[in-house]
Amino acid sequence: MTSDSKNLSKSTSESNNDVDLLALVFSILRGWKTILFFALLGLLIGVLYSRYETTTFKSDALIQIEATSGGVSALGSSISELVPPEASPAETEAQLIKSRMVLKPVVDFLNLSIRLSDPTVSAIDKIRTNRSYTQENLPESVLLATSDGTAQISQFDVSEDYLDKSFTLVRSGTGFTLTNELDTFKGQLNTSHRFNGTRGFIEINVSDLPVGDHPINISKQSLQNTTDGINGALTVSEVGANTGILQLSMIGSNQDQISRVLRQVILSYMDQNSSRGSEETTRTIKFMETQIPDLKQKLEDSEATFNTFRTENSTIDIGQEASILLAENARIDSQLSELRLKKADLSTYYTEEHPLVIQIDDQIAELQSRVQSVNTRIEDLPEIQREFLQLSEDVSINREIYLNLLKNYQQLKIVRAGQVGFARIIDLPINTYRAIAPKRSLIIFIAALTGLLLGIMAVILKNMLRNVVKDPERLESRTGVPVVATVPRSPLLTRLNKGSKSPSRLLAHTDSNSLSYEAIKSLRTSLMFGMPKEGRAGQRAKVILITGESPGVGKSFISSNLSEVFAQLNKKVLIIDADMRLGELHKAFNMSQDNGLADYFQQDGHALVDIVHPTSLDNVDFIPRGKQPHNPASLLSGDKFSALMTELNAHYDYIIIDTPPVLAASDAMIISQYADKVLMVTRYDKSIEGQLVYAVKQLNKANVQVDGIVLNDVKQGLTSKYSYHYNYAYGNDK
């Protein structure tokens, strides 16, 4: 293959791709009515949904979580060691906020487990009014506004079997009626009642109800379902990374309600947090309160014993060595006392096997060993000095331990008084009354866009399934038959023929300057030059057979107008309506169907002159279909029709025969043996491409060659120019 041929092949391939894409675009644009319908339908659904959807509001708050409590450590290292620090990560606190420990007090305080609803509000009502009433939970009662008044419930408690079960409340005079599937109870307004039902007790106090017979649905939710509902609307997340600031957000259909609930959630959490923050300090103070009386008594006993000894033996001067031993022994005993105190404190948290407890035990053992060594050295002192030293040491140690513990006790009491926990409220929720959902403009836009896309998909799917006739080149490639003419639609003729009873009109009388009329003339020219130069033996006329693959393609329109343009050449033209079943060609000439082709076959007395009728057009005669016979195909196969065609050929230059559709009857195959040209008429954007291909194959199987395809009723709109670029007519289109 040469370089030029390669380039030509590549160019042709790219051109075909462009044409296919352009054909797809135009096929979509031709279905603009379907696309517009789906777009408007989507728009309508979007508007209705935006009105049906309940308006949603949002309320926000901020809490700061500190890493540690600074109260104990600020008092010195000695006391802070007694209260171990506690870490409080923000993520952990976020989970605690959503726990039942925090939410249960909120549920109880605001009566959130009581649920009220109005069963009379339907989806149509929500769309029509574009609003919905929602309940409000207050500490003293639960409210629900309706179109007939307000329902107010001050108390509603039920047994476990009635949890999450729906009841119906209706006003009855000055009282109310409470019903469910099994029970019916009556009571008075503003009065506490306790009813014993089939499944347990019911305690209720109704303050107000809507007037009339307006029902109210009421139920008592379980704690789990209520907290799940709160958590479904509550979001707790840390602002940024490791900031320690928690953002609490709650959404709902009532701005006041969600702000009220969120505020109580924060206050409940702060109460829990405050009590958790002082728990360690309180536990240590309680332990010290149990030790102080014992240490005080021990100090008093040691002082009394020492004073008695000094009175009996007078004052003894202790030498330098004894002083050193005394100081060392006192220091060791002080350390032992502190270690024992720490061990006692740790024992409240850990077992004896804990590493911290084992470490303190090792230190105590080491100090006890040193005490034994010092005591051995003291034994070498005189007896009175040794006893004096021992009593003096006991008094000193007991005084130091007692005073140290008393000081720490007072410090911890000060700490507990000023301890506020490790959480701090930054922002409490406020009412903004700014709706966050639904975003009506976005919903309407998405709905309309979705409808538009569905419309495009429907048009594409319709084209794929129907595969109607549109592209002449495609027809030629699939059938092997050339498209000899594309006849545009005549807008004027279309408007005139809109009435169902109006007769079909000829273009020469109604729209002679149109492109449609010029296309018929172009078809005439094509047929004239395509006719064989020598006709059939002994025949003068050129016979043109016109058929179609199915009814409604415009055979009669093409036949009648083609006969008129041939007559303009001063040629004798005969047009025959060979569709003896449903032929309507007589309407185009404003004539009767009687005394036609079928009558010629059925009545022996009918001669040629009886069935051939002149028309209002010069040089044009017409044979109507006649009275419908029972066996049209058999009549056309007989010798009588052959004789008729032989006789007619001697009198006319052109004979145009309009036959039934190929897929509906076999008449066209029978008559084709007398034809010089066989034309297949198909209708643009209506005929099915597969039916046309099948009709051509059926004729080919009967050894009938189709000489050309006439593409009729081609639309000339912007979206149809692609399929109409094969024909150009020159005329005065005014």
Side-chain angles (χ1 to χ4, degrees):
M1 182 181 288
T2 64
S3 175
D4 291 341
S5 61
K6 289 181 179 180
N7 293 335
L8 179 60
S9 175
K10 181 178 180 181
S11 175
T12 303
S13 176
E14 292 177 353
S15 176
N16 290 336
N17 291 335
D18 293 340
V19 168
D20 291 339
L21 180 59
L22 193 59
L24 176 63
V25 172
F26 281 135
S27 67
I28 292 174
L29 294 179
R30 276 190 297 270
W32 67 270
K33 293 182 179 179
T34 302
I35 296 174
L36 180 61
F37 170 77
F38 276 94
L40 292 177
L41 180 62
L43 182 64
L44 176 62
I45 293 174
V47 171
L48 295 179
Y49 178 77
S50 65
R51 292 181 63 86
Y52 172 80
E53 186 70 10
T54 303
T55 303
T56 303
F57 299 93
K58 184 178 181 181
S59 189
D60 296 316
L62 291 177
I63 295 178
Q64 180 184 9
I65 306 299
E66 297 179 354
T68 59
S69 176
V72 176
S73 61
L75 297 175
S77 59
S78 60
I79 186 61
S80 63
E81 293 178 358
L82 300 179
V83 183
E86 173 157 350
S88 179
E91 294 180 1
T92 303
E93 297 305 311
Q95 297 302 318
L96 290 175
I97 291 174
K98 304 182 74 172
S99 66
R100 287 192 296 273
M101 176 185 70
V102 174
L103 297 182
K104 185 179 183 304
V106 181
V107 172
D108 296 338
F109 181 73
L110 293 178
N111 302 302
L112 295 179
S113 57
I114 301 177
R115 307 301 301 171
L116 302 178
S117 62
D118 188 353
T120 64
V121 178
S122 63
I124 296 178
D125 294 331
K126 293 182 66 176
I127 294 174
R128 179 173 52 83
T129 60
N130 194 23
R131 63 169 298 181
S132 59
Y133 297 105
T134 56
Q135 73 177 52
E136 290 192 56
N137 293 76
L138 303 174
E140 60 275 4
S141 62
V142 181
L143 305 175
L144 176 64
T146 69
S147 58
D148 294 325
T150 302
Q152 183 175 358
I153 311 299
S154 302
Q155 178 190 8
F156 186 62
D157 295 311
V158 298
S159 59
E160 184 176 352
D161 291 336
Y162 280 129
L163 290 176
D164 301 314
K165 300 294 189 300
S166 180
F167 293 81
T168 301
L169 272 172
V170 180
R171 178 187 284 269
S172 58
T174 59
F176 65 88
T177 301
L178 178 68
T179 60
N180 65 356
E181 297 176 352
L182 303 174
D183 306 306
T184 300
F185 309 102
K186 293 183 179 297
Q188 296 297 315
L189 298 178
N190 297 309
T191 304
S192 295
H193 296 278
R194 181 182 176 91
F195 303 116
N196 292 320
T198 305
R199 298 181 179 178
F201 72 90
I202 300 169
E203 293 181 351
I204 188 170
N205 188 339
V206 180
S207 300
D208 196 8
L209 284 174
V211 297
D213 296 331
H214 195 119
I216 294 294
N217 289 342
I218 181 172
S219 63
K220 179 78 171 184
Q221 285 187 330
S222 63
L223 178 62
Q224 183 65 51
N225 289 341
T226 306
T227 54
D228 288 346
I230 296 175
N231 285 328
L234 178 64
T235 302
V236 184
S237 59
E238 187 174 8
V239 179
N242 300 321
T243 60
I245 297 178
L246 291 179
Q247 182 178 32
L248 289 77
S249 301
M250 178 167 279
I251 59 174
S253 56
N254 188 312
Q255 179 72 78
D256 296 328
Q257 173 80 352
I258 60 175
S259 297
R260 187 182 304 115
V261 174
L262 184 57
R263 180 185 180 89
Q264 290 301 320
V265 170
I266 293 173
L267 295 179
S268 176
Y269 168 72
M270 295 303 295
D271 290 341
Q272 296 288 341
N273 179 266
S274 178
S275 58
R276 285 167 54 211
S278 61
E279 183 178 355
E280 305 296 336
T281 305
T282 302
R283 186 183 304 150
T284 304
I285 289 176
K286 288 182 178 179
F287 170 74
M288 288 183 174
E289 288 175 346
T290 61
Q291 297 297 315
I292 287 176
D294 295 338
L295 292 176
K296 183 178 180 181
Q297 184 63 41
K298 188 175 182 181
L299 175 59
E300 292 175 351
D301 293 342
S302 62
E303 287 178 343
T305 303
F306 182 60
N307 291 333
T308 302
F309 177 80
R310 292 181 61 186
T311 302
E312 293 176 352
N313 298 281
S314 69
T315 302
I316 300 175
D317 185 18
I318 302 173
Q320 183 177 5
E321 182 178 358
S323 299
I324 294 174
L325 293 175
L326 176 62
E328 184 177 1
N329 205 354
R331 181 174 56 81
I332 294 174
D333 286 342
S334 177
Q335 293 178 357
L336 282 172
S337 298
E338 290 180 0
L339 288 175
R340 290 190 182 100
L341 183 60
K342 287 184 179 181
K343 179 180 178 182
D345 182 64
L346 290 174
S347 298
T348 61
Y349 302 100
Y350 311 114
T351 62
E352 293 293 329
E353 289 79 12
H354 195 274
L356 293 177
V357 178
I358 294 174
Q359 183 180 2
I360 290 177
D361 288 337
D362 294 338
Q363 293 176 0
I364 292 175
E366 182 179 355
L367 291 176
Q368 286 177 344
S369 175
R370 293 177 60 188
V371 168
Q372 183 65 33
S373 175
V374 171
N375 289 338
T376 302
R377 294 177 60 187
I378 291 176
E379 288 178 356
D380 295 337
L381 297 176
E383 183 65 25
I384 295 176
Q385 289 182 335
R386 187 171 59 252
E387 187 175 356
F388 176 87
L389 180 62
Q390 185 67 42
L391 294 176
S392 175
E393 178 185 355
D394 291 340
V395 172
S396 177
I397 292 173
N398 290 335
R399 181 181 290 109
E400 184 175 355
I401 292 174
Y402 173 74
L403 292 176
N404 187 39
L405 186 60
L406 189 62
K407 181 182 70 173
N408 290 339
Y409 173 73
Q410 295 297 331
Q411 288 178 336
L412 284 177
K413 289 181 68 176
I414 296 172
V415 169
R416 185 176 65 176
Q419 210 159 25
V420 293
F422 48 82
R424 179 166 64 111
I425 299 176
I426 300 176
D427 289 331
L428 282 173
I430 59 174
N431 295 332
T432 60
Y433 299 104
R434 290 198 298 264
I436 62 170
K439 299 185 181 299
R440 288 184 169 82
S441 57
L442 181 61
I443 290 175
I444 294 173
F445 172 75
I446 292 177
L449 181 61
T450 302
L452 183 68
L453 295 178
L454 289 177
I456 293 174
M457 292 176 60
V459 170
I460 294 176
L461 183 61
K462 177 183 176 182
N463 290 335
M464 292 176 60
L465 294 177
R466 288 191 63 203
N467 200 14
V468 293
V469 171
K470 290 178 181 176
D471 184 2
E473 286 185 356
R474 180 178 172 86
L475 290 182
E476 292 178 351
S477 64
R478 291 203 61 187
T479 61
V481 178
V483 176
V484 294
T486 56
V487 181
R489 171 180 292 184
S490 171
L492 178 59
L493 190 61
T494 302
R495 289 194 299 270
L496 293 174
N497 291 338
K498 276 187 177 180
S500 58
K501 295 183 179 180
S502 61
S504 177
R505 296 174 173 85
L506 295 175
L507 290 171
H509 295 159
T510 58
D511 201 6
S512 60
N513 290 324
S514 66
L515 297 178
S516 305
Y517 194 45
E518 293 299 325
I520 297 293
K521 293 179 180 179
S522 298
L523 175 61
R524 177 193 65 184
T525 303
S526 176
L527 292 173
M528 288 176 57
F529 286 100
M531 287 289 182
K533 294 182 179 180
E534 296 182 0
R536 297 168 183 264
Q539 295 183 357
R540 164 189 170 188
K542 304 293 190 297
V543 181
I544 303 171
L545 184 145
I546 297 178
T547 186
E549 84 282 355
S550 61
V553 296
K555 301 183 291 82
S556 300
F557 172 77
I558 298 297
S559 301
S560 58
N561 284 281
L562 188 61
S563 64
E564 189 274 332
V565 296
F566 269 116
Q568 293 179 8
L569 304 176
N570 291 322
K571 301 291 184 179
K572 289 287 293 181
V573 180
L574 174 67
I575 180 169
I576 303 175
D577 189 353
D579 187 354
M580 292 181 284
R581 296 174 179 83
L582 300 173
E584 295 184 351
L585 194 57
H586 58 280
K587 295 181 179 180
F589 298 100
N590 197 20
M591 299 175 65
S592 172
Q593 71 180 47
D594 300 330
N595 296 322
L597 184 62
D599 300 318
Y600 176 78
F601 289 118
Q602 298 179 78
Q603 300 179 18
D604 295 335
H606 273 70
L608 185 63
V609 68
D610 297 325
I611 62 173
V612 177
H613 306 280
T615 65
S616 59
L617 301 175
D618 295 337
N619 300 324
V620 177
D621 292 336
F622 173 54
I623 298 179
R625 65 183 175 93
K627 185 177 181 180
Q628 181 178 350
H630 298 291
N631 53 348
S634 300
L635 297 176
L636 295 173
S637 300
D639 295 336
K640 196 169 185 179
F641 181 71
S642 177
L644 175 64
M645 290 300 299
T646 301
E647 185 176 358
L648 292 174
N649 269 278
H651 298 283
Y652 294 96
D653 297 307
Y654 291 95
I655 299 176
I656 299 174
I657 306 176
D658 184 3
T659 63
V662 174
L663 299 182
S666 60
D667 298 11
M669 300 179 186
I670 298 171
I671 301 175
S672 63
Q673 61 183 311
Y674 305 102
D676 297 296
K677 286 289 184 180
V678 177
L679 299 181
M680 179 75 71
V681 179
T682 188
R683 197 180 193 94
Y684 176 83
D685 204 24
K686 182 178 180 182
S687 297
I688 305 301
E689 188 177 279
Q691 292 182 355
L692 177 63
V693 174
Y694 183 72
V696 173
K697 288 182 179 179
Q698 291 297 102
L699 291 175
N700 292 337
K701 289 180 181 179
N703 294 323
V704 178
Q705 179 183 353
V706 180
D707 298 292
I709 295 175
V710 178
L711 186 57
N712 185 33
D713 198 33
V714 177
K715 299 179 183 65
Q716 290 182 272
L718 175 63
T719 61
S720 304
K721 287 185 178 179
Y722 166 70
S723 295
Y724 184 55
H725 72 283
Y726 303 93
N727 182 73
Y728 177 77
Y730 179 75
N732 182 15
D733 195 18
K734 292 184 180 180

